[in-house]
Amino acid sequence: MATATLILSGIAITLAILLMLAARYFSSSTNEVVEKIETLLPRIQCAQCGYPGCRPYAKAIAEENAEINLCPPGGDETVRRLANFLGREFSPVTEPVKAANLNTVALISEELCIGCNLCSQACPVDAIVGVHQRMHTVISEHCTGCRLCVSPCPVDCISLIPRHG
Amino acid sequence: MVKNHIAKSFTGGIKLNANKNVSSSKTIAEQFIPSKLIIPMSHQFGPDAIPIVKVNQRIKKGELIGEPADKNALAVHASCSGQVTAIEQHQEPIVGEVSSSTCVIIQTNKDDDVSHQKKYWPRDTQTRLNLINQAGIVGLGGGSFPTAEKLNSKSLNCELLILNGAECEPFISCDDVLMREHATEVLRGGMAMMELVGASAILVCIEDDKPEALNAVYDAAGQLNSKLIQIVTLPTRYPAGGEKQLIEAVTGKEVPSGEYPINIGFICQNVGTAYALDRYIQLGEPQINRVVTVTGQGIKNPQNVLVPIGSPISELISFCGGYNDDVSHLILGGNMMGYSLHTDELPVTKATNCILAINKSQEEKSTQIWPCIRCGDCASVCPAKLLPQRIVKAYTNKNFNKLEELGLKDCIECGCCDVVCPSHIPLTASFKNAKYLTEEATTHSLLANEAEMRHNLKKIRLSKEQMKVDRLHAELKSNVRGDNRKSMINDAVNRSRKLRNKK
C-alpha cells in the first residue's frame, strides 16, 4: 500500500514538474501571439476599432481580452479567423456599415477643399499632402481607403472612389 | 520533298464536336468595310498608344494614328480611310471582360485611300523587330502578345519555330480558311520569322480535320521548295492548339510551369500572325485587319470575314445577314474559352478570332450542381496535368497557399473539366475567379504591408514632433525659473507699458 502510494505520487509529482517546465519553455510568448493576430487583421491601420492601429488592437486582443469583432474592414471573415485562432466565440462585426475597403481610395474635390489640413492629420498612412490654406490631395497609391479622413472634413469634400478607373 | 509527320497527342484533352463546316465552307469575304471604326489605343501588353490625330482630320488606310508610348511599345494604325469624328472613351473587350479605354472613332469613306507602301526590309535583327512593333503586329491566336517581343530571343537559343494552325476550338475556322487561301503568304511569313530568330526549321502544325488546309500548305511548301519547312498532322483533340499542349504533342517536351516555350528552345506563332508579317514585308501593310469567324445558329449567313480592326461587331453581323429570330446570346471566341457579351456595340480587336451567336436550341440548359463525387474525370482530361477537384476545394475554402501549391496559375482555362464533370460543377469559372482573388489578395497584402510601414513612420514622425515641442516647453520653463525670473518679468512689464504709451 505504502509503496503504491509512493510510486503513484512520485509519478504525479514528476509529471507536474514536467508540465510546469513545458509551460515555461514551450509557451508562445505574448509577442508571438500579437504578431500572429496582426497578420490575421487587414493591417490597413484605419483605427476604426478604437485602437490607434492594427498592432495596438492585436495587443489589446492578446493582453486585455478585447472583443474580436471590432474590425469593420476585416468583416466577418476576419472575426471567424480570429475566433478560430484564439478559440473564442464568433460574433458578427459591430458597425460593418462604415467598413473601409482596400478597393477604394479617397478623392478630395479640388474646388471645395479649403486647405484646413484636418484630413492629412487624420490619415494614418500620411497619404494626404497639402500646405495649410492650400488645396490638398490624396496620393492614391498609398491610400488604404480607411475613410478616416471623411468625417473630419468640415466642407464634406472627400469621397471614396474605386481604386482603378 | 516536304516532310510529313504525324504527331502523337498530348496528355489529357477531349474530343469535341467541331461544328466548323458551318463557317469554313465559304471563302473569306474581303469586301467588308464598316461605316465607322472604333479603334482602341490600348494593348493587352505594354503601355497604351498616344493618339496623334485630331478630330475632323482626314486619314488614309494604314496611316499611323496612335504613336507608341515608348521604344518597345506598339503603334496603332487606321484600318480604313475616312475622317476622325471623336477621340473618346469607349468600351472594348479585353481578356474576358469589357472595359473602357481611349478610342479613335473614324467615319469611313469608300475611297479606300491607302497610305502604306512597300518598305525596305533591313538586314539587322533589332531594326526588323522595331519595324514589327511599328507595324503594330501582335499574336493573332487570341493572346495578343507583341510579336517582336516573342521573336526577340537573342540571348536564348531557338531551335524550332512552330507555326500553330491547329485551331482546336469548336466553331472557329479563321486559321483554317486563311491557310486554304493564303498558304504561300503564311509560309513566307513563317520563313521571315525563322530567319529572325535563327531557328533551324519550321513546323507547321495542323489538325487532321482540316484536309483542305493541309493540302494547300503542302502545295505551297512544294512551291517554295524549302527543306526547312515540315508539316505536322495532329490528331484532332481539344486543346491541341494550346501553346504548351502543341509543343508537347509535336516534340514530346514539356514547358516547365511558369516558363515560356523559348526557355526550352521553341517559339510558337499563330499562322495569322505569320500572314500579317508577310503582308507587312511584301506590301508594307501594318496589322490593320484580321480574319474573324462569324458563326453559330443565331447568324443568318455564317462565314469568315476579313475585318478591319475596330469595326463594330453589330455591323459585322449585319454584313453576315444579321441575326436569326431565335438568337439568344453572343459569345466572343469559341464556345469553350469564349465569354458572353452583353452588347454588340463593341469593336473587333486583334484578339477577336470568332463571334459566335448561339440560338435557343444550342444554349446550355442550366443544370443543378451536385457535390463532387471524386470520380477524377476532370484530372484525367486536364491538359495542364492539374487536379481540378482539389483546386475547387481550395477555392471554396479560400486557401490561397493551397491554390498556389496545386498550380492554379498553370490552368489554361480550356474548360475540358467542365465538359466531363458529372456533377456539373462550374470548375473553370471557379478557377478564373480564384485567379482573380489570388491576385487581389497579393496586391492587398502588399498594400497592407506598405500601410503598416507608413503608419509606423507616421507614429515616429509624430513622436519626434512631440518631443521637439516638449523640449521647447521644458526650455522655456527652466528659463523662467531660477535667477533671471525677476528680470524676465520686469522685461515683460516694460514691454507692455511701452505698447500702452504708444497708444
Side-chain angles (χ1 to χ4, degrees), chain A residues 38 43 45 52 103 121 123-126 142, chain B residues 440 444 447-452 454-455 458 461:
Chain A
E38 204 192 345
R43 295 184 297 146
Q45 320 296 340
N103 289 329
Q121 283 166 26
C123 180
V125 292
D126 272 346
H142 298 322
Chain B
E440 196 185 59
H444 280 189
L447 256 175
N449 285 342
E450 200 200 304
E452 199 179 348
R454 290 183 69 86
H455 181 62
K458 179 176 180 172
R461 177 173 67 80

mmCIF file with all atom_site columns, all heavy atoms in Angstrom, chain A residues 38 43 45 52 103 121 123-126 142, chain B residues 440 444 447-452 454-455 458 461:
data_model
loop_
_atom_site.group_PDB
_atom_site.id
_atom_site.type_symbol
_atom_site.label_atom_id
_atom_site.label_alt_id
_atom_site.label_comp_id
_atom_site.label_asym_id
_atom_site.label_entity_id
_atom_site.label_seq_id
_atom_site.pdbx_PDB_ins_code
_atom_site.Cartn_x
_atom_site.Cartn_y
_atom_site.Cartn_z
_atom_site.occupancy
_atom_site.B_iso_or_equiv
_atom_site.pdbx_formal_charge
_atom_site.auth_seq_id
_atom_site.auth_comp_id
_atom_site.auth_asym_id
_atom_site.auth_atom_id
_atom_site.pdbx_PDB_model_num
ATOM 1   N N   . GLU A 1 38  ? -1.939  40.030 -35.593 1.00 0.00 ? 38  GLU A N   1
ATOM 2   C CA  . GLU A 1 38  ? -1.799  41.153 -36.509 1.00 0.00 ? 38  GLU A CA  1
ATOM 3   C C   . GLU A 1 38  ? -1.847  40.689 -37.963 1.00 0.00 ? 38  GLU A C   1
ATOM 4   O O   . GLU A 1 38  ? -2.434  41.349 -38.814 1.00 0.00 ? 38  GLU A O   1
ATOM 5   C CB  . GLU A 1 38  ? -0.498  41.897 -36.227 1.00 0.00 ? 38  GLU A CB  1
ATOM 6   C CG  . GLU A 1 38  ? -0.566  43.328 -36.699 1.00 0.00 ? 38  GLU A CG  1
ATOM 7   C CD  . GLU A 1 38  ? 0.773   44.002 -36.690 1.00 0.00 ? 38  GLU A CD  1
ATOM 8   O OE1 . GLU A 1 38  ? 1.708   43.474 -36.061 1.00 0.00 ? 38  GLU A OE1 1
ATOM 9   O OE2 . GLU A 1 38  ? 0.887   45.048 -37.326 1.00 0.00 ? 38  GLU A OE2 1
ATOM 10  N N   . ARG A 1 43  ? -4.600  45.015 -41.490 1.00 0.00 ? 43  ARG A N   1
ATOM 11  C CA  . ARG A 1 43  ? -3.431  45.889 -41.363 1.00 0.00 ? 43  ARG A CA  1
ATOM 12  C C   . ARG A 1 43  ? -3.505  47.142 -42.236 1.00 0.00 ? 43  ARG A C   1
ATOM 13  O O   . ARG A 1 43  ? -2.507  47.566 -42.818 1.00 0.00 ? 43  ARG A O   1
ATOM 14  C CB  . ARG A 1 43  ? -2.149  45.108 -41.704 1.00 0.00 ? 43  ARG A CB  1
ATOM 15  C CG  . ARG A 1 43  ? -1.876  43.995 -40.718 1.00 0.00 ? 43  ARG A CG  1
ATOM 16  C CD  . ARG A 1 43  ? -0.576  43.338 -41.041 1.00 0.00 ? 43  ARG A CD  1
ATOM 17  N NE  . ARG A 1 43  ? -0.635  42.723 -42.351 1.00 0.00 ? 43  ARG A NE  1
ATOM 18  C CZ  . ARG A 1 43  ? 0.365   42.636 -43.194 1.00 0.00 ? 43  ARG A CZ  1
ATOM 19  N NH1 . ARG A 1 43  ? 1.536   43.123 -42.855 1.00 0.00 ? 43  ARG A NH1 1
ATOM 20  N NH2 . ARG A 1 43  ? 0.227   42.071 -44.351 1.00 0.00 ? 43  ARG A NH2 1
ATOM 21  N N   . GLN A 1 45  ? -4.615  49.931 -40.919 1.00 0.00 ? 45  GLN A N   1
ATOM 22  C CA  . GLN A 1 45  ? -4.410  50.998 -39.929 1.00 0.00 ? 45  GLN A CA  1
ATOM 23  C C   . GLN A 1 45  ? -5.535  52.008 -39.901 1.00 0.00 ? 45  GLN A C   1
ATOM 24  O O   . GLN A 1 45  ? -5.302  53.194 -39.763 1.00 0.00 ? 45  GLN A O   1
ATOM 25  C CB  . GLN A 1 45  ? -3.076  51.740 -40.209 1.00 0.00 ? 45  GLN A CB  1
ATOM 26  C CG  . GLN A 1 45  ? -1.928  50.877 -40.630 1.00 0.00 ? 45  GLN A CG  1
ATOM 27  C CD  . GLN A 1 45  ? -1.492  49.897 -39.559 1.00 0.00 ? 45  GLN A CD  1
ATOM 28  O OE1 . GLN A 1 45  ? -1.790  50.084 -38.378 1.00 0.00 ? 45  GLN A OE1 1
ATOM 29  N NE2 . GLN A 1 45  ? -0.815  48.841 -39.937 1.00 0.00 ? 45  GLN A NE2 1
ATOM 30  N N   . PRO A 1 52  ? -5.368  52.761 -31.802 1.00 0.00 ? 52  PRO A N   1
ATOM 31  C CA  . PRO A 1 52  ? -4.731  53.623 -32.798 1.00 0.00 ? 52  PRO A CA  1
ATOM 32  C C   . PRO A 1 52  ? -4.077  52.894 -33.972 1.00 0.00 ? 52  PRO A C   1
ATOM 33  O O   . PRO A 1 52  ? -3.335  53.507 -34.731 1.00 0.00 ? 52  PRO A O   1
ATOM 34  C CB  . PRO A 1 52  ? -3.691  54.394 -31.975 1.00 0.00 ? 52  PRO A CB  1
ATOM 35  C CG  . PRO A 1 52  ? -3.438  53.554 -30.795 1.00 0.00 ? 52  PRO A CG  1
ATOM 36  C CD  . PRO A 1 52  ? -4.705  52.826 -30.496 1.00 0.00 ? 52  PRO A CD  1
ATOM 37  N N   . ASN A 1 103 ? -10.272 48.269 -51.875 1.00 0.00 ? 103 ASN A N   1
ATOM 38  C CA  . ASN A 1 103 ? -10.525 48.503 -53.293 1.00 0.00 ? 103 ASN A CA  1
ATOM 39  C C   . ASN A 1 103 ? -10.981 49.920 -53.596 1.00 0.00 ? 103 ASN A C   1
ATOM 40  O O   . ASN A 1 103 ? -11.275 50.244 -54.723 1.00 0.00 ? 103 ASN A O   1
ATOM 41  C CB  . ASN A 1 103 ? -11.570 47.518 -53.820 1.00 0.00 ? 103 ASN A CB  1
ATOM 42  C CG  . ASN A 1 103 ? -11.006 46.124 -53.900 1.00 0.00 ? 103 ASN A CG  1
ATOM 43  O OD1 . ASN A 1 103 ? -9.815  45.957 -54.133 1.00 0.00 ? 103 ASN A OD1 1
ATOM 44  N ND2 . ASN A 1 103 ? -11.839 45.131 -53.692 1.00 0.00 ? 103 ASN A ND2 1
ATOM 45  N N   . GLN A 1 121 ? -4.104  65.271 -41.105 1.00 0.00 ? 121 GLN A N   1
ATOM 46  C CA  . GLN A 1 121 ? -3.776  64.855 -39.738 1.00 0.00 ? 121 GLN A CA  1
ATOM 47  C C   . GLN A 1 121 ? -4.435  63.527 -39.390 1.00 0.00 ? 121 GLN A C   1
ATOM 48  O O   . GLN A 1 121 ? -3.897  62.724 -38.645 1.00 0.00 ? 121 GLN A O   1
ATOM 49  C CB  . GLN A 1 121 ? -4.233  65.926 -38.747 1.00 0.00 ? 121 GLN A CB  1
ATOM 50  C CG  . GLN A 1 121 ? -3.299  67.117 -38.713 1.00 0.00 ? 121 GLN A CG  1
ATOM 51  C CD  . GLN A 1 121 ? -3.928  68.293 -38.001 1.00 0.00 ? 121 GLN A CD  1
ATOM 52  O OE1 . GLN A 1 121 ? -4.804  68.123 -37.155 1.00 0.00 ? 121 GLN A OE1 1
ATOM 53  N NE2 . GLN A 1 121 ? -3.483  69.485 -38.360 1.00 0.00 ? 121 GLN A NE2 1
ATOM 54  N N   . CYS A 1 123 ? -5.116  61.098 -41.516 1.00 0.00 ? 123 CYS A N   1
ATOM 55  C CA  . CYS A 1 123 ? -4.669  59.968 -42.334 1.00 0.00 ? 123 CYS A CA  1
ATOM 56  C C   . CYS A 1 123 ? -3.619  59.138 -41.598 1.00 0.00 ? 123 CYS A C   1
ATOM 57  O O   . CYS A 1 123 ? -2.581  59.661 -41.207 1.00 0.00 ? 123 CYS A O   1
ATOM 58  C CB  . CYS A 1 123 ? -4.090  60.470 -43.649 1.00 0.00 ? 123 CYS A CB  1
ATOM 59  S SG  . CYS A 1 123 ? -3.536  59.119 -44.684 1.00 0.00 ? 123 CYS A SG  1
ATOM 60  N N   . PRO A 1 124 ? -3.898  57.837 -41.418 1.00 0.00 ? 124 PRO A N   1
ATOM 61  C CA  . PRO A 1 124 ? -2.952  57.029 -40.651 1.00 0.00 ? 124 PRO A CA  1
ATOM 62  C C   . PRO A 1 124 ? -1.681  56.675 -41.424 1.00 0.00 ? 124 PRO A C   1
ATOM 63  O O   . PRO A 1 124 ? -0.705  56.241 -40.838 1.00 0.00 ? 124 PRO A O   1
ATOM 64  C CB  . PRO A 1 124 ? -3.747  55.766 -40.326 1.00 0.00 ? 124 PRO A CB  1
ATOM 65  C CG  . PRO A 1 124 ? -4.736  55.664 -41.419 1.00 0.00 ? 124 PRO A CG  1
ATOM 66  C CD  . PRO A 1 124 ? -5.068  57.070 -41.822 1.00 0.00 ? 124 PRO A CD  1
ATOM 67  N N   . VAL A 1 125 ? -1.725  56.829 -42.758 1.00 0.00 ? 125 VAL A N   1
ATOM 68  C CA  . VAL A 1 125 ? -0.547  56.417 -43.531 1.00 0.00 ? 125 VAL A CA  1
ATOM 69  C C   . VAL A 1 125 ? 0.095   57.593 -44.269 1.00 0.00 ? 125 VAL A C   1
ATOM 70  O O   . VAL A 1 125 ? 0.874   57.394 -45.208 1.00 0.00 ? 125 VAL A O   1
ATOM 71  C CB  . VAL A 1 125 ? -0.902  55.296 -44.534 1.00 0.00 ? 125 VAL A CB  1
ATOM 72  C CG1 . VAL A 1 125 ? -1.248  54.026 -43.799 1.00 0.00 ? 125 VAL A CG1 1
ATOM 73  C CG2 . VAL A 1 125 ? -2.030  55.712 -45.450 1.00 0.00 ? 125 VAL A CG2 1
ATOM 74  N N   . ASP A 1 126 ? -0.220  58.816 -43.835 1.00 0.00 ? 126 ASP A N   1
ATOM 75  C CA  . ASP A 1 126 ? 0.356   60.005 -44.461 1.00 0.00 ? 126 ASP A CA  1
ATOM 76  C C   . ASP A 1 126 ? 0.180   60.019 -45.966 1.00 0.00 ? 126 ASP A C   1
ATOM 77  O O   . ASP A 1 126 ? 1.116   60.290 -46.716 1.00 0.00 ? 126 ASP A O   1
ATOM 78  C CB  . ASP A 1 126 ? 1.852   60.099 -44.133 1.00 0.00 ? 126 ASP A CB  1
ATOM 79  C CG  . ASP A 1 126 ? 2.081   60.836 -42.829 1.00 0.00 ? 126 ASP A CG  1
ATOM 80  O OD1 . ASP A 1 126 ? 1.127   61.473 -42.362 1.00 0.00 ? 126 ASP A OD1 1
ATOM 81  O OD2 . ASP A 1 126 ? 3.199   60.767 -42.281 1.00 0.00 ? 126 ASP A OD2 1
ATOM 82  N N   . HIS A 1 142 ? -0.898  55.246 -52.007 1.00 0.00 ? 142 HIS A N   1
ATOM 83  C CA  . HIS A 1 142 ? -0.675  54.988 -50.591 1.00 0.00 ? 142 HIS A CA  1
ATOM 84  C C   . HIS A 1 142 ? -1.976  54.882 -49.801 1.00 0.00 ? 142 HIS A C   1
ATOM 85  O O   . HIS A 1 142 ? -1.993  54.384 -48.693 1.00 0.00 ? 142 HIS A O   1
ATOM 86  C CB  . HIS A 1 142 ? 0.178   56.098 -49.978 1.00 0.00 ? 142 HIS A CB  1
ATOM 87  C CG  . HIS A 1 142 ? 1.543   56.202 -50.575 1.00 0.00 ? 142 HIS A CG  1
ATOM 88  N ND1 . HIS A 1 142 ? 2.265   55.097 -50.943 1.00 0.00 ? 142 HIS A ND1 1
ATOM 89  C CD2 . HIS A 1 142 ? 2.319   57.265 -50.880 1.00 0.00 ? 142 HIS A CD2 1
ATOM 90  C CE1 . HIS A 1 142 ? 3.413   55.482 -51.450 1.00 0.00 ? 142 HIS A CE1 1
ATOM 91  N NE2 . HIS A 1 142 ? 3.480   56.796 -51.425 1.00 0.00 ? 142 HIS A NE2 1
ATOM 92  N N   . GLU B 2 440 ? -5.840  39.616 -56.244 1.00 0.00 ? 440 GLU B N   1
ATOM 93  C CA  . GLU B 2 440 ? -6.326  40.667 -55.355 1.00 0.00 ? 440 GLU B CA  1
ATOM 94  C C   . GLU B 2 440 ? -5.700  40.519 -53.971 1.00 0.00 ? 440 GLU B C   1
ATOM 95  O O   . GLU B 2 440 ? -5.238  41.499 -53.380 1.00 0.00 ? 440 GLU B O   1
ATOM 96  C CB  . GLU B 2 440 ? -7.849  40.575 -55.255 1.00 0.00 ? 440 GLU B CB  1
ATOM 97  C CG  . GLU B 2 440 ? -8.471  41.815 -54.689 1.00 0.00 ? 440 GLU B CG  1
ATOM 98  C CD  . GLU B 2 440 ? -9.964  41.640 -54.488 1.00 0.00 ? 440 GLU B CD  1
ATOM 99  O OE1 . GLU B 2 440 ? -10.367 40.723 -53.745 1.00 0.00 ? 440 GLU B OE1 1
ATOM 100 O OE2 . GLU B 2 440 ? -10.726 42.407 -55.076 1.00 0.00 ? 440 GLU B OE2 1
ATOM 101 N N   . HIS B 2 444 ? -3.478  43.220 -52.093 1.00 0.00 ? 444 HIS B N   1
ATOM 102 C CA  . HIS B 2 444 ? -3.935  43.720 -50.791 1.00 0.00 ? 444 HIS B CA  1
ATOM 103 C C   . HIS B 2 444 ? -2.872  43.531 -49.722 1.00 0.00 ? 444 HIS B C   1
ATOM 104 O O   . HIS B 2 444 ? -2.662  44.412 -48.902 1.00 0.00 ? 444 HIS B O   1
ATOM 105 C CB  . HIS B 2 444 ? -5.220  43.012 -50.369 1.00 0.00 ? 444 HIS B CB  1
ATOM 106 C CG  . HIS B 2 444 ? -6.419  43.580 -51.031 1.00 0.00 ? 444 HIS B CG  1
ATOM 107 N ND1 . HIS B 2 444 ? -7.691  43.239 -50.690 1.00 0.00 ? 444 HIS B ND1 1
ATOM 108 C CD2 . HIS B 2 444 ? -6.532  44.482 -52.038 1.00 0.00 ? 444 HIS B CD2 1
ATOM 109 C CE1 . HIS B 2 444 ? -8.541  43.902 -51.455 1.00 0.00 ? 444 HIS B CE1 1
ATOM 110 N NE2 . HIS B 2 444 ? -7.856  44.653 -52.288 1.00 0.00 ? 444 HIS B NE2 1
ATOM 111 N N   . LEU B 2 447 ? -0.279  46.140 -50.206 1.00 0.00 ? 447 LEU B N   1
ATOM 112 C CA  . LEU B 2 447 ? -0.798  47.427 -49.736 1.00 0.00 ? 447 LEU B CA  1
ATOM 113 C C   . LEU B 2 447 ? -0.774  47.490 -48.216 1.00 0.00 ? 447 LEU B C   1
ATOM 114 O O   . LEU B 2 447 ? -0.393  48.498 -47.623 1.00 0.00 ? 447 LEU B O   1
ATOM 115 C CB  . LEU B 2 447 ? -2.245  47.570 -50.195 1.00 0.00 ? 447 LEU B CB  1
ATOM 116 C CG  . LEU B 2 447 ? -2.537  48.482 -51.365 1.00 0.00 ? 447 LEU B CG  1
ATOM 117 C CD1 . LEU B 2 447 ? -3.993  48.385 -51.735 1.00 0.00 ? 447 LEU B CD1 1
ATOM 118 C CD2 . LEU B 2 447 ? -2.179  49.909 -51.024 1.00 0.00 ? 447 LEU B CD2 1
ATOM 119 N N   . ALA B 2 448 ? -1.197  46.375 -47.590 1.00 0.00 ? 448 ALA B N   1
ATOM 120 C CA  . ALA B 2 448 ? -1.264  46.341 -46.132 1.00 0.00 ? 448 ALA B CA  1
ATOM 121 C C   . ALA B 2 448 ? 0.133   46.477 -45.532 1.00 0.00 ? 448 ALA B C   1
ATOM 122 O O   . ALA B 2 448 ? 0.332   47.209 -44.562 1.00 0.00 ? 448 ALA B O   1
ATOM 123 C CB  . ALA B 2 448 ? -1.920  45.056 -45.670 1.00 0.00 ? 448 ALA B CB  1
ATOM 124 N N   . ASN B 2 449 ? 1.110   45.790 -46.145 1.00 0.00 ? 449 ASN B N   1
ATOM 125 C CA  . ASN B 2 449 ? 2.483   45.917 -45.648 1.00 0.00 ? 449 ASN B CA  1
ATOM 126 C C   . ASN B 2 449 ? 2.942   47.362 -45.716 1.00 0.00 ? 449 ASN B C   1
ATOM 127 O O   . ASN B 2 449 ? 3.543   47.880 -44.776 1.00 0.00 ? 449 ASN B O   1
ATOM 128 C CB  . ASN B 2 449 ? 3.432   45.072 -46.488 1.00 0.00 ? 449 ASN B CB  1
ATOM 129 C CG  . ASN B 2 449 ? 3.297   43.608 -46.179 1.00 0.00 ? 449 ASN B CG  1
ATOM 130 O OD1 . ASN B 2 449 ? 2.755   43.250 -45.138 1.00 0.00 ? 449 ASN B OD1 1
ATOM 131 N ND2 . ASN B 2 449 ? 3.762   42.772 -47.083 1.00 0.00 ? 449 ASN B ND2 1
ATOM 132 N N   . GLU B 2 450 ? 2.624   47.992 -46.865 1.00 0.00 ? 450 GLU B N   1
ATOM 133 C CA  . GLU B 2 450 ? 3.064   49.368 -47.036 1.00 0.00 ? 450 GLU B CA  1
ATOM 134 C C   . GLU B 2 450 ? 2.355   50.269 -46.037 1.00 0.00 ? 450 GLU B C   1
ATOM 135 O O   . GLU B 2 450 ? 2.973   51.149 -45.436 1.00 0.00 ? 450 GLU B O   1
ATOM 136 C CB  . GLU B 2 450 ? 2.764   49.807 -48.462 1.00 0.00 ? 450 GLU B CB  1
ATOM 137 C CG  . GLU B 2 450 ? 3.603   50.994 -48.876 1.00 0.00 ? 450 GLU B CG  1
ATOM 138 C CD  . GLU B 2 450 ? 2.994   51.717 -50.043 1.00 0.00 ? 450 GLU B CD  1
ATOM 139 O OE1 . GLU B 2 450 ? 2.756   51.067 -51.072 1.00 0.00 ? 450 GLU B OE1 1
ATOM 140 O OE2 . GLU B 2 450 ? 2.764   52.930 -49.906 1.00 0.00 ? 450 GLU B OE2 1
ATOM 141 N N   . ALA B 2 451 ? 1.040   50.020 -45.854 1.00 0.00 ? 451 ALA B N   1
ATOM 142 C CA  . ALA B 2 451 ? 0.269   50.839 -44.926 1.00 0.00 ? 451 ALA B CA  1
ATOM 143 C C   . ALA B 2 451 ? 0.850   50.733 -43.518 1.00 0.00 ? 451 ALA B C   1
ATOM 144 O O   . ALA B 2 451 ? 0.991   51.728 -42.808 1.00 0.00 ? 451 ALA B O   1
ATOM 145 C CB  . ALA B 2 451 ? -1.189  50.392 -44.926 1.00 0.00 ? 451 ALA B CB  1
ATOM 146 N N   . GLU B 2 452 ? 1.209   49.512 -43.153 1.00 0.00 ? 452 GLU B N   1
ATOM 147 C CA  . GLU B 2 452 ? 1.769   49.303 -41.818 1.00 0.00 ? 452 GLU B CA  1
ATOM 148 C C   . GLU B 2 452 ? 3.069   50.091 -41.654 1.00 0.00 ? 452 GLU B C   1
ATOM 149 O O   . GLU B 2 452 ? 3.288   50.777 -40.661 1.00 0.00 ? 452 GLU B O   1
ATOM 150 C CB  . GLU B 2 452 ? 2.047   47.812 -41.643 1.00 0.00 ? 452 GLU B CB  1
ATOM 151 C CG  . GLU B 2 452 ? 2.180   47.413 -40.206 1.00 0.00 ? 452 GLU B CG  1
ATOM 152 C CD  . GLU B 2 452 ? 2.440   45.933 -40.091 1.00 0.00 ? 452 GLU B CD  1
ATOM 153 O OE1 . GLU B 2 452 ? 2.290   45.210 -41.098 1.00 0.00 ? 452 GLU B OE1 1
ATOM 154 O OE2 . GLU B 2 452 ? 2.819   45.513 -39.002 1.00 0.00 ? 452 GLU B OE2 1
ATOM 155 N N   . ARG B 2 454 ? 4.066   52.717 -43.383 1.00 0.00 ? 454 ARG B N   1
ATOM 156 C CA  . ARG B 2 454 ? 3.829   54.159 -43.380 1.00 0.00 ? 454 ARG B CA  1
ATOM 157 C C   . ARG B 2 454 ? 3.202   54.610 -42.064 1.00 0.00 ? 454 ARG B C   1
ATOM 158 O O   . ARG B 2 454 ? 3.487   55.698 -41.564 1.00 0.00 ? 454 ARG B O   1
ATOM 159 C CB  . ARG B 2 454 ? 2.937   54.549 -44.560 1.00 0.00 ? 454 ARG B CB  1
ATOM 160 C CG  . ARG B 2 454 ? 3.626   54.414 -45.890 1.00 0.00 ? 454 ARG B CG  1
ATOM 161 C CD  . ARG B 2 454 ? 2.721   54.883 -47.008 1.00 0.00 ? 454 ARG B CD  1
ATOM 162 N NE  . ARG B 2 454 ? 2.513   56.316 -46.981 1.00 0.00 ? 454 ARG B NE  1
ATOM 163 C CZ  . ARG B 2 454 ? 3.313   57.199 -47.549 1.00 0.00 ? 454 ARG B CZ  1
ATOM 164 N NH1 . ARG B 2 454 ? 4.360   56.788 -48.209 1.00 0.00 ? 454 ARG B NH1 1
ATOM 165 N NH2 . ARG B 2 454 ? 3.069   58.488 -47.467 1.00 0.00 ? 454 ARG B NH2 1
ATOM 166 N N   . HIS B 2 455 ? 2.340   53.740 -41.497 1.00 0.00 ? 455 HIS B N   1
ATOM 167 C CA  . HIS B 2 455 ? 1.719   54.074 -40.224 1.00 0.00 ? 455 HIS B CA  1
ATOM 168 C C   . HIS B 2 455 ? 2.785   54.176 -39.135 1.00 0.00 ? 455 HIS B C   1
ATOM 169 O O   . HIS B 2 455 ? 2.786   55.116 -38.329 1.00 0.00 ? 455 HIS B O   1
ATOM 170 C CB  . HIS B 2 455 ? 0.696   52.993 -39.869 1.00 0.00 ? 455 HIS B CB  1
ATOM 171 C CG  . HIS B 2 455 ? -0.026  53.249 -38.598 1.00 0.00 ? 455 HIS B CG  1
ATOM 172 N ND1 . HIS B 2 455 ? -0.825  54.346 -38.418 1.00 0.00 ? 455 HIS B ND1 1
ATOM 173 C CD2 . HIS B 2 455 ? -0.076  52.551 -37.433 1.00 0.00 ? 455 HIS B CD2 1
ATOM 174 C CE1 . HIS B 2 455 ? -1.332  54.328 -37.210 1.00 0.00 ? 455 HIS B CE1 1
ATOM 175 N NE2 . HIS B 2 455 ? -0.895  53.246 -36.584 1.00 0.00 ? 455 HIS B NE2 1
ATOM 176 N N   . LYS B 2 458 ? 4.688   57.306 -39.567 1.00 0.00 ? 458 LYS B N   1
ATOM 177 C CA  . LYS B 2 458 ? 3.936   58.465 -39.106 1.00 0.00 ? 458 LYS B CA  1
ATOM 178 C C   . LYS B 2 458 ? 4.030   58.566 -37.577 1.00 0.00 ? 458 LYS B C   1
ATOM 179 O O   . LYS B 2 458 ? 4.206   59.653 -37.031 1.00 0.00 ? 458 LYS B O   1
ATOM 180 C CB  . LYS B 2 458 ? 2.468   58.354 -39.526 1.00 0.00 ? 458 LYS B CB  1
ATOM 181 C CG  . LYS B 2 458 ? 1.671   59.549 -39.033 1.00 0.00 ? 458 LYS B CG  1
ATOM 182 C CD  . LYS B 2 458 ? 0.250   59.575 -39.478 1.00 0.00 ? 458 LYS B CD  1
ATOM 183 C CE  . LYS B 2 458 ? -0.398  60.832 -38.891 1.00 0.00 ? 458 LYS B CE  1
ATOM 184 N NZ  . LYS B 2 458 ? -1.721  61.093 -39.393 1.00 0.00 ? 458 LYS B NZ  1
ATOM 185 N N   . ARG B 2 461 ? 7.282   59.972 -36.705 1.00 0.00 ? 461 ARG B N   1
ATOM 186 C CA  . ARG B 2 461 ? 7.316   61.398 -37.003 1.00 0.00 ? 461 ARG B CA  1
ATOM 187 C C   . ARG B 2 461 ? 6.568   62.188 -35.928 1.00 0.00 ? 461 ARG B C   1
ATOM 188 O O   . ARG B 2 461 ? 7.075   63.189 -35.399 1.00 0.00 ? 461 ARG B O   1
ATOM 189 C CB  . ARG B 2 461 ? 6.662   61.658 -38.362 1.00 0.00 ? 461 ARG B CB  1
ATOM 190 C CG  . ARG B 2 461 ? 6.568   63.107 -38.750 1.00 0.00 ? 461 ARG B CG  1
ATOM 191 C CD  . ARG B 2 461 ? 6.076   63.273 -40.180 1.00 0.00 ? 461 ARG B CD  1
ATOM 192 N NE  . ARG B 2 461 ? 4.703   62.853 -40.390 1.00 0.00 ? 461 ARG B NE  1
ATOM 193 C CZ  . ARG B 2 461 ? 3.637   63.591 -40.083 1.00 0.00 ? 461 ARG B CZ  1
ATOM 194 N NH1 . ARG B 2 461 ? 3.803   64.771 -39.536 1.00 0.00 ? 461 ARG B NH1 1
ATOM 195 N NH2 . ARG B 2 461 ? 2.425   63.139 -40.306 1.00 0.00 ? 461 ARG B NH2 1
#
